[in-house]
Amino acid sequence: EMDVLTEYLPEQLTREELVVIVEEAVKATGASSMKDMGKIMNYMKETYPNQYDAKFVGTYVKSKF
């Protein structure tokens, strides 16, 4: 069943791609602290809908600030 379902899901970004994209999101949103996590997550949701692991993005952003 999973093989059939995954055919219909958007392709997921790799962790390496996500690191670059999150850095881009931080610059694009002007984020400067953990208070700006919502801005970054909104950017990700609008720009890369359903293509990323939100837990990884959150953990990576926390490590930056």
Side-chain angles (χ1 to χ4, degrees):
E1 289 181 17
M2 278 305 277
D3 291 337
V4 173
L5 292 175
T6 55
E7 290 180 33
Y8 295 97
L9 296 173
E11 186 174 332
Q12 295 293 296
L13 298 165
T14 66
R15 289 181 183 232
E16 293 80 19
E17 291 171 320
L18 282 174
V19 168
V20 173
I21 291 168
V22 170
E23 294 291 337
E24 173 188 304
V26 169
K27 289 178 186 173
T29 61
S32 60
S33 71
M34 278 302 297
K35 292 180 181 179
D36 298 321
M37 173 75 87
K39 290 180 184 179
I40 295 168
M41 296 307 279
N42 282 335
Y43 177 90
M44 294 297 295
K45 188 184 333 180
E46 292 173 3
T47 311
Y48 302 97
N50 304 316
Q51 293 180 297
Y52 62 94
D53 177 3
K55 185 175 180 179
F56 175 78
V57 171
T59 301
Y60 183 74
V61 170
K62 287 177 188 175
S63 74
K64 293 210 40 81
F65 299 112

